[in-house]
Amino acid sequence: MAVRKRSSRDIRSESRLDVLHALLAEGGATRNGLARTTGLSLATVATVVSELLAEGLVAETGVSASGVGRPTTTLAIRGARGILAGVDVAETYVSTHVFDAALTELARADVALDERVESPDHVVDGVLRSLDAALRQAGRDRSDLLGVGVALPGLVQGRDGEMSVVVPAWHWRGVGVLDLLRGRLDAPIVVENPLKAIATAELWLGAGRGVDSLVTVNLGTGVGAGIVLDGAVLRGATNSAGEWGHTLLVHEGRGCRCGRRGCVEAYVGAPGIQQTLRETAPDHPLTATQQQSDFIAGFAAALDGPDPDPAAVRTLERTADYLGSAIADLVAVINPELVMLTGWTAWALGEHLLPATVAQVRAQAPRGTATDHTVGISTVRGNSAAIGMATLALERFLGDVGLLTTRVPLAL
């Protein structure tokens, strides 16, 4: 496959994204301020701002007077341009979050899915019910949508313009969910894997705004990585990049739900942490906790206070060794500027888990590839999959109106 060269059109597209990222980060800025923040020339900023003003995506919000020279006009993303929906589909629920064009959340709605029903139509119906409920809460309707992004709990694969979804939990193999959604929803739609959605959220709204390369490591029941290189999410030949949770950590180790043995997920996913506690202290009361979220909350509580539970401390140490070793492999291969831990397990255990994980990364990564500041906890909170999908829907909108020619999502 030939390497695609960046054209002047692509460079202008990247400049528009730089300006939008800066406006999101700062809430508002002058043209001179944008030039300083982005490193773009004032002439380029002026041209980009004119294009964004013409599209109605940016508005002049006031005049800034510094006391020296002429007053300057302040700019901000115009949230009223339209709304975006980010939809997080899990095995037991659908959660839809509605945002304005400035990615400010307006409303959310959750609906339950019957996990015994595996049909794509059942899932699509849940997406639409959740979407309509969120729109009602926001006082909006479907005609206001600039785009809808849907994250599905599996592999969203594509090649040569075709897209299909593989969800092992639902026994889906090559299901054309995008076509089903398009048949029932008259709005631009993007379908993606949650890992890439979370990486997109970090790229637009988190630490990714200041770096060219990063990895978001999502820790929950499952485990995976979203990879950003040269400021863009890595998708791979068939959009399957990021399945780090199913790479080998322990040869002939624990069984993983993917069918292999010794995967990273089997050791640092929430069930894996519970298994480590079971191996450490078989009679510990937390080993019998059924709900994974309840287990992690109880585990975090056992680590708190002046006298933390010894079995929990030992389990945490082993988990940090597993996680740090697995991240060290990522660092060795990708050498990112940052690795950001995210997801409900990372947020619950972060202050306990991070120091020992960082130490293990430093010990295991090749010399010079990691620093004390390489690994951190993401500041993008809330439903980062839904946030990322709304952002991908925004990218889709930018592509549709001709403002974005690179980083286009798979479903475009």
Side-chain angles (χ1 to χ4, degrees):
M1 180 184 295
V3 176
R4 182 175 180 268
K5 294 182 179 180
R6 294 171 74 233
S7 66
S8 59
R9 185 166 174 254
D10 293 334
I11 293 171
R12 178 63 59 80
S13 172
E14 297 296 314
S15 298
R16 295 182 191 113
L17 281 179
D18 288 341
V19 168
L20 288 172
H21 287 175
L23 286 172
L24 278 173
E26 299 178 26
T30 65
R31 290 168 175 80
N32 285 330
L34 289 169
R36 288 191 297 270
T37 300
T38 63
L40 299 171
S41 71
L42 185 57
T44 297
V45 167
T47 300
V48 168
V49 165
S50 294
E51 294 167 340
L52 296 174
L53 285 168
E55 183 51 48
L57 193 59
V58 165
E60 295 181 338
T61 57
V63 175
S64 174
S66 63
V68 178
R70 298 172 59 186
T72 56
T73 303
T74 56
L75 305 155
I77 294 178
R78 182 170 168 262
R81 176 62 179 82
I83 58 173
L84 304 154
V87 185
D88 176 25
V89 180
E91 294 170 12
T92 58
Y93 68 85
V94 178
S95 181
T96 297
H97 298 243
V98 173
F99 304 82
D100 67 16
L103 296 178
T104 299
E105 186 166 329
L106 305 176
R108 64 169 287 181
D110 300 344
V111 302
L113 290 179
D114 186 341
E115 57 187 316
R116 297 167 298 178
V117 181
E118 300 177 350
S119 75
D121 285 330
H122 174 67
V123 174
V124 169
D125 181 67
V127 169
L128 296 176
R129 286 189 290 119
S130 177
L131 173 63
D132 287 337
L135 289 173
R136 283 195 299 272
Q137 288 190 31
R140 312 298 286 270
D141 57 45
R142 292 185 184 184
S143 64
D144 297 320
L145 286 165
L146 300 179
V148 177
V150 181
L152 290 166
L155 293 175
V156 178
Q157 300 175 320
R159 180 181 297 199
D160 299 329
E162 299 295 326
M163 190 280 285
S164 64
V165 177
V166 177
V167 183
W170 292 331
H171 302 97
W172 289 10
R173 296 290 185 274
V175 175
V177 177
L178 183 60
D179 290 336
L180 292 175
L181 285 166
R182 283 175 171 164
R184 298 182 59 184
L185 179 61
D186 185 20
I189 305 168
V190 177
V191 175
E192 190 51 280
N193 174 279
L195 298 175
K196 296 177 183 63
I198 290 168
T200 301
E202 193 70 41
L203 183 62
W204 276 76
L205 301 171
R209 290 184 298 206
V211 298
D212 288 327
S213 62
L214 71 97
V215 176
T216 53
V217 169
N218 188 53
L219 302 178
T221 300
V223 171
I227 302 168
V228 173
L229 297 177
D230 294 327
V233 175
L234 178 67
R235 290 189 162 83
T238 61
N239 202 54
S240 300
E243 291 299 317
W244 164 78
H246 298 294
T247 59
L248 183 66
L249 179 62
V250 178
H251 184 63
E252 294 299 324
R254 295 175 187 169
C256 180
R257 62 177 178 167
C258 73
R260 300 176 67 218
R261 303 192 68 83
C263 292
V264 171
E265 181 177 294
Y267 293 86
V268 302
I273 298 172
Q274 190 172 30
Q275 177 61 25
T276 300
L277 177 61
R278 192 173 291 115
E279 294 170 357
T280 303
D283 297 326
H284 197 286
L286 282 174
T287 61
T289 304
Q290 296 297 312
Q291 294 292 330
Q292 293 302 320
S293 57
D294 292 341
F295 164 72
I296 291 297
F299 184 64
L303 294 165
D304 288 333
D307 297 307
D309 184 320
V313 171
R314 178 59 185 142
T315 297
L316 183 83
E317 291 170 347
R318 289 181 60 189
T319 300
D321 283 349
Y322 293 137
L323 179 59
S325 297
I327 290 175
D329 288 344
L330 276 173
V331 170
V333 173
I334 299 172
N335 190 212
E337 295 169 71
L338 291 175
V339 177
M340 304 305 293
L341 306 183
T342 189
W344 53 271
T345 296
W347 298 330
L349 300 180
E351 64 179 274
H352 302 293
L353 187 61
L354 186 61
T357 299
V358 170
Q360 183 71 351
V361 172
R362 290 294 306 274
Q364 295 294 326
R367 181 175 297 179
T369 59
T371 71
D372 288 338
H373 305 292
T374 295
V375 184
I377 305 293
S378 175
T379 58
V380 180
R381 299 301 176 92
N383 190 319
S384 50
I387 295 168
M389 289 313 307
T391 307
L392 284 169
L394 176 59
E395 290 188 358
R396 159 80 195 242
F397 166 75
L398 294 173
D400 285 347
V401 297
L403 293 174
L404 181 61
T405 59
T406 57
R407 304 187 196 177
V408 289
L410 174 68
L412 252 176

